[in-house]
Amino acid sequence: MKTLKLFFAVVLAAVFSFSAQAQSNKKSDTKAKTETINVAGNCGMCKTRIEKAAKTEGVSAASWDSKTKLLTVSYDPSKTGTDAVAKKVAAVGHDAGKYKADDKVYEALPGCCHYDRK
């Protein structure tokens, strides 16, 4: 009986130890950065396209505001960065930061999504 109690005590201590270690690892994984990128667009279809393109590996959240033309991204800097996100957004037809969308891709966007390309 003593051996059984000792065994359960050891197992219980191990479970709590692993649980505490897992929680401390979660805290160190929360090094997410949040930054904004200027992204050209007009409407709700643009918003959907931009946010979908921005949500690449390492990006935990992406939100584009049609009034301010700013894309706010939260990401893990060890997996991606704003340049990579901007390139992905430009690839779907929206000028993003220092990256300009390909003319053919821009022209293929729906008419309502044709923003002023200065």
Side-chain angles (χ1 to χ4, degrees), residues 48-60:
T48 302
R49 186 180 311 102
I50 291 165
E51 290 175 355
K52 183 178 178 182
K55 289 183 182 173
T56 59
E57 182 183 351
V59 176
S60 56

Side-chain angles (χ1 to χ4, degrees), residues 14-31:
V15 167
F16 282 122
S17 173
F18 289 126
S19 175
Q21 183 180 8
Q23 290 204 0
S24 69
N25 285 345
K26 281 185 181 177
K27 289 179 185 174
S28 67
D29 288 344
T30 58
K31 302 178 239 170

Side-chain angles (χ1 to χ4, degrees), residues 3-89:
T3 309
L4 191 58
K5 285 183 182 180
L6 180 61
F7 175 74
F8 281 121
V10 170
V11 169
L12 191 59
V15 167
F16 282 122
S17 173
F18 289 126
S19 175
Q21 183 180 8
Q23 290 204 0
S24 69
N25 285 345
K26 281 185 181 177
K27 289 179 185 174
S28 67
D29 288 344
T30 58
K31 302 178 239 170
K33 283 181 93 174
T34 300
E35 295 189 46
T36 58
I37 305 166
N38 288 316
V39 178
N42 292 326
C43 62
M45 286 176 32
C46 293
K47 178 178 176 63
T48 302
R49 186 180 311 102
I50 291 165
E51 290 175 355
K52 183 178 178 182
K55 289 183 182 173
T56 59
E57 182 183 351
V59 176
S60 56
S63 178
W64 182 73
D65 186 308
S66 62
K67 290 180 182 169
T68 63
K69 309 294 186 206
L70 290 176
L71 172 65
T72 303
V73 290
S74 294
Y75 63 95
D76 180 347
S78 68
K79 295 182 180 179
T80 192
T82 53
D83 274 355
V85 172
K87 284 179 187 178
K88 292 285 188 180
V89 172

Side-chain angles (χ1 to χ4, degrees), residues 40-42 46 93-95 101 106 109 111-117:
N42 292 326
C46 293
H94 296 273
D95 296 345
Y106 170 78
L109 293 174
C112 63
C113 296
H114 286 189
Y115 50 87
D116 185 23
R117 296 186 91 185

